[in-house]
Amino acid sequence: MTDKLNLVLIFGGRSGEHAVSLRSAQSVLNALDENKYQVFQVGITTEGLWLYGSNAHKAFLDGKHETLREALILSDSGKPYLYIREGNNLEKITSIDVIFPVLHGTFGEDGTIQGLFEIQNCAYVGAGVLGSSVAMDKAVCKHVMQSIGVPVLEYAVFSRRDIQENLQETIEQSEQVAPYPLFVKPANLGSSVGISKARNREQLATALQIAAHYDRRILVERGISPREIEISVLGNTEVQCTVPGEIVPGDEFYTYKDKYQSGDPEVAIPAPLPAEQSTLLQQYAVDAFKAIDGAGLARVDFLIDKATGEAYFNEINTMPGFTQISMYPKLWLYSGLSYTELVNRLVELALERKAEQDETVRKYEE
């Protein structure tokens, strides 16, 4: 018997952010205290195959899956277990105390895998089905923010079919959103994947087709010359947030290259903002987290128009980039919470949320 928690770390996934997930998972693996956790590594390939092995993360980094075995999570008598498949037989590996899904983007951060965890009665780090799905869809999330009085930039939403079959009409409707420049984004992706800035019709046509490659819903919004501000949020019912931090992008906006390929990005913590504006953005961040029924962690991103000083909600990430150079842990480090302490706190919050869910009566009796 051991007092260690059986923690299943899941990474990879069927997403354009598969590689980002592997980077985040490496940092989490390094931070997990071997005295507190028995860690079981499960990687999900881009084709959706779940694979288990003690060295699964390294195998995914090396692109060598031969030594790994197919994995499943199933409940037995209401308790979740990790299994591996051997032909037509299932072998039980361990009971599961908590899952840490270091998954970004589609099928990891959008509520789908959270639904599986709920069905299998698992405790897991991060937002639930509702919070994950609402935050993942930038258009739906903007609707929610508008409903609670958090300002957003003007936008329109189009489908992949619109772009494929009626590109010219889509361009014309996009131009009604605002004058150029316009930003074009996949509605359900993160890490700046598929995002383009369009300054004219030709660039807009290309941007729409690029975004449609990554998602079936595409967001077009008014472009500004922005300062990019981020706030980290932590909690369940009781919510804390950090001071705002500012990203100083090496490009015109905070690109995938800035985030993951150019080394340590330039940041300012705290962001040089008037005290009143910092306080307002912190309140917006907490309000946004609560509005989507967030849990565990989120990073709330804002844009400040350099020309006017006006601030706008940009998006909320329920499983933000979690590498050592990512803004989410950096902001908490400034607040005095180390990376390892942050990981421990997220596991605690997952267990707290599961305990609260277990108080719900599932059987109606008059």
Side-chain angles (χ1 to χ4, degrees):
M1 296 295 291
T2 176
D3 293 331
K4 295 182 182 181
L5 289 174
N6 291 332
L7 184 150
V8 176
L9 183 73
I10 304 181
F11 47 83
R14 293 171 57 200
S15 166
E17 298 177 79
H18 181 98
V20 179
S21 169
L22 297 185
R23 291 185 178 93
S24 293
Q26 181 65 71
S27 295
V28 175
L29 267 175
N30 293 342
L32 287 169
D33 186 346
E34 62 181 15
N35 294 315
K36 294 174 68 71
Y37 310 110
Q38 184 73 33
V39 180
F40 300 86
Q41 300 179 28
V42 173
I44 303 176
T45 68
T46 53
E47 295 76 30
L49 183 63
W50 292 45
L51 297 173
Y52 164 76
S54 59
N55 64 340
H57 184 264
K58 185 177 187 305
F60 267 67
L61 286 177
D62 295 340
K64 298 178 180 179
H65 302 155
E66 298 83 3
T67 61
L68 305 180
R69 300 153 90 180
E70 185 178 355
L72 303 90
I73 291 176
L74 299 169
S75 61
D76 183 358
S77 301
K79 185 174 179 60
Y81 290 85
L82 175 66
Y83 291 82
I84 58 171
R85 186 193 301 277
E86 292 289 349
N88 294 324
N89 300 317
L90 295 180
E91 178 184 340
K92 186 180 289 185
I93 297 299
T94 182
S95 60
I96 300 172
D97 293 312
V98 64
I99 295 174
F100 202 131
V102 191
L103 297 165
H104 307 304
T106 314
F107 304 115
E109 196 179 351
D110 58 1
T112 51
I113 201 165
Q114 287 76 17
L116 171 64
F117 297 154
E118 295 283 353
I119 289 171
Q120 300 299 346
N121 201 28
C122 301
Y124 58 94
V125 170
V129 174
L130 176 64
S132 299
S133 58
V134 171
M136 190 64 194
D137 191 294
K138 294 180 178 68
V140 172
C141 197
K142 284 178 181 286
H143 293 323
V144 174
M145 295 307 115
Q146 286 177 310
S147 74
I148 63 171
V150 175
V152 301
L153 289 163
E154 298 92 326
Y155 66 97
V157 186
F158 302 97
S159 70
R160 179 183 288 148
R161 186 68 59 85
D162 292 331
I163 293 167
Q164 291 174 340
E165 298 183 358
N166 301 292
L167 180 59
Q168 188 59 36
E169 183 179 341
T170 303
I171 289 172
E172 292 171 359
Q173 292 178 5
S174 297
E175 291 174 332
Q176 295 175 19
V177 171
Y180 288 104
L182 297 168
F183 273 96
V184 182
K185 307 175 180 181
N188 290 276
L189 209 58
S191 295
S192 300
V193 173
I195 297 179
S196 304
K197 183 178 182 179
R199 300 168 184 80
N200 53 51
R201 278 197 167 193
E202 182 180 358
Q203 291 181 359
L204 178 59
T206 300
L208 288 167
Q209 292 172 85
I210 289 173
H213 181 70
Y214 291 102
D215 195 11
R216 53 175 289 276
R217 279 163 55 83
I218 292 85
L219 184 75
V220 176
E221 67 181 17
R222 174 163 70 92
I224 60 174
S225 179
R227 296 174 63 187
E228 304 201 23
I229 307 297
E230 301 184 351
I231 296 175
S232 296
V233 182
L234 183 68
N236 289 333
T237 304
E238 297 181 5
V239 182
Q240 299 173 292
C241 74
T242 65
V243 299
E246 182 169 8
I247 299 291
V248 183
D251 212 327
E252 287 190 85
F253 62 96
Y254 195 30
T255 63
Y256 181 96
K257 182 179 178 181
D258 276 328
K259 291 180 178 179
Y260 303 109
Q261 296 176 349
S262 299
D264 204 351
E266 185 179 348
V267 300
I269 303 174
L273 298 172
E276 288 185 4
Q277 190 169 44
S278 290
T279 300
L280 179 62
L281 292 181
Q282 287 175 305
Q283 187 59 56
Y284 283 160
V286 172
D287 289 347
F289 186 83
K290 291 181 177 180
I292 68 164
D293 191 29
L297 74 164
R299 195 194 69 234
V300 187
D301 300 347
F302 299 91
L303 303 174
I304 296 180
D305 191 332
K306 291 179 181 178
T308 66
E310 293 295 318
Y312 302 92
F313 170 88
N314 186 34
E315 62 180 339
I316 179 168
N317 294 273
T318 54
M319 186 54 70
F322 219 81
T323 68
Q324 292 285 0
I325 68 168
S326 296
M327 193 63 153
Y328 184 85
K330 275 188 171 183
L331 284 164
W332 280 114
L333 183 61
Y334 177 85
S335 299
L337 198 63
S338 72
Y339 193 99
T340 297
E341 290 170 330
L342 180 59
V343 168
N344 289 337
R345 181 61 183 142
L346 289 172
V347 172
E348 291 171 0
L349 287 168
L351 296 172
E352 287 175 13
R353 184 170 179 272
K354 181 63 169 63
E356 184 179 3
Q357 286 179 312
D358 288 345
E359 294 177 13
T360 303
V361 176
R362 306 293 182 185
K363 181 178 179 181
Y364 175 70
E365 295 180 354
E366 293 191 43

